């Protein structure tokens, strides 16, 4: 080949077309969003089914009105718990729940709640909060207790009555400290006294009124077991603001043992 036959230019290699990454990233993000939305929808449906089922069961088993507001909380993701066969924790709360003469705002927490109906749950706790009206209704079941004059003044339950001295009625105020008795009853133990507006000790009250003072110096036992399932054991009682707060331990076998769902008895 002569110089005349030489090409006027040398062929050059075409640059490789670079693939753009961003369309793939956008596609991946869209897929992840769709998968996340589907998972969220499944979780939402599962949570609704579980909490709704628990609410229906509680209303039925406790004999509550069908329209009784009952809040059910299940912390964490529900679907993994359903797969494991156990709900880690279930909290049930409702206000103005009535069991016979006992009524109050109730909050119950159960751990290790099984999905199957043939297994016991883990230990649980319950709290019942009573305002003054609810407390008076409960105390009206105690013979001789002046329930209509009962009040709440932290840390005590208060009550006023009248003792007669030489035919003259003298108003007496008593502060009663609430507690859980050894038999699981609510106990009210006198902690301070006043007569005619003057603070008195128990000894001074007895010296002034003699045997009549026994009616205000006694400890009152209030049985509440007769209104609640026997699976509940009263552990503590206190006053929080304008409410009396009773705490209970719950035997997790209550979900499988019908005897534990029956009301307790008073000793």
């Amino acid at each position: 080949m002569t110089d005349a036959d030489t090409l006027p230019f040398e062929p050059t290699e075409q640059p490789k077309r670079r693939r753009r990454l961003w369309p793939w990233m956008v596609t991946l993000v869209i897929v992840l969003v769709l998968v996340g939305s589907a998972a969220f929808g499944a979780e939402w449906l599962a949570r609704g089914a579980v909490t709704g089922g628990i609410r229906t069961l509680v209303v039925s088993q406790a004999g509550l009105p069908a329209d009784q507001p009952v809040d059910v909380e299940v912390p964490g993701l529900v679907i993994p718990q359903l797969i494991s066969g156990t709900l880690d924790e279930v909290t049930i709360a409702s206000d103005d729940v009535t069991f016979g003469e006992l009524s109050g705002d109730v909050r119950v927490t159960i751990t290790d709640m099984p999905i199957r109906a043939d297994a016991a749950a883990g230990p649980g706790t319950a709290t019942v909060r009573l305002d003054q009206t609810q407390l008076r209704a409960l105390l009206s079941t105690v013979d001789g207790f002046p329930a209509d004059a009962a009040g709440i003044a932290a840390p005590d339950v208060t009550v006023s009555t009248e003792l007669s001295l030489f035919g003259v009625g003298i108003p007496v105020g008593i502060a009663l400290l609430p507690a859980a008795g050894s038999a699981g009853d609510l106990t009210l133990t006198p902690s301070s006294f006043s007569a005619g507006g003057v603070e008195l000790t128990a000894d001074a009250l007895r010296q002034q009124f003699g045997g009549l003072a026994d009616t205000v110096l006694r400890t009152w036992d209030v049985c509440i077991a007769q209104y609640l399932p026997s699976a509940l054991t009263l552990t503590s009682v206190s006053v929080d603001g304008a409410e009396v707060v009773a705490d209970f331990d719950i035997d997790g076998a209550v979900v499988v043992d019908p005897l534990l769902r029956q009301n307790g008895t008073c000793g």
Side-chain angles (χ1 to χ4, degrees):
M1 178 180 296
T2 65
D3 292 341
D5 295 326
T6 304
L7 295 174
F9 60 88
E10 293 293 333
T12 58
E13 185 178 354
Q14 295 295 323
K16 294 182 179 180
R17 182 173 296 177
R18 300 178 63 183
R19 296 180 179 179
R20 296 183 177 181
L21 184 59
W22 69 267
W24 295 93
M25 294 180 63
V26 171
T27 302
L28 178 60
V29 169
I30 293 174
V31 170
L32 291 177
V33 169
L34 292 175
V35 171
S37 298
F40 176 80
E43 171 68 18
W44 181 80
L45 290 174
R47 181 174 297 277
V50 168
T51 56
I54 293 174
R55 182 195 178 281
T56 299
L57 183 62
V58 168
V59 169
S60 173
Q61 293 290 333
L64 302 177
D67 58 351
Q68 174 82 23
V70 177
D71 295 327
V72 180
E73 299 177 6
V74 181
L77 294 175
V78 170
I79 291 179
Q81 297 180 60
L82 293 177
I83 294 174
S84 70
T86 303
L87 300 176
D88 297 335
E89 181 179 293
V90 176
T91 298
I92 304 161
S94 186
D95 294 341
D96 299 324
V97 178
T98 299
F99 301 97
E101 295 300 328
L102 175 63
S103 63
D105 299 341
V106 178
R107 184 177 182 87
V108 175
T109 298
I110 298 289
T111 60
D112 301 327
M113 174 69 76
I115 304 302
R116 305 187 315 273
D118 58 349
T125 59
T127 299
V128 180
R129 305 179 74 93
L130 292 76
D131 61 22
Q132 178 173 284
T133 300
Q134 294 164 334
L135 177 65
R136 287 181 173 181
L138 176 63
L139 295 179
S140 67
T141 65
V142 181
D143 289 341
F145 192 93
D148 290 343
I152 300 174
D156 300 304
V157 171
T158 62
V159 68
S160 59
T161 186
E162 189 176 89
L163 295 178
S164 178
L165 184 64
F166 304 118
V168 178
I170 299 177
V172 176
I174 311 130
L176 302 164
L177 186 65
S182 58
D185 293 346
L186 162 64
T187 62
L188 297 172
T189 303
S191 59
S192 64
F193 311 89
S194 64
V198 179
E199 295 292 331
L200 295 175
T201 64
D203 289 340
L205 198 66
R206 190 180 296 279
Q207 289 177 0
Q208 184 169 350
F209 293 98
L212 292 176
D214 291 341
T215 59
V216 298
L217 294 175
R218 59 172 290 186
T219 293
W220 299 88
D221 294 322
V222 185
C223 177
I224 58 178
Q226 59 185 324
Y227 307 116
L228 298 170
S230 58
L232 275 68
T233 301
L234 183 65
T235 56
S236 67
V237 184
S238 61
V239 174
D240 180 19
E243 296 178 317
V244 173
V245 182
D247 294 319
F248 301 81
D249 282 342
I250 303 176
D251 186 340
V254 67
V255 299
V256 292
D257 188 347
L259 293 178
L260 291 177
R261 293 195 290 270
Q262 295 181 5
N263 288 0
T265 57
C266 300

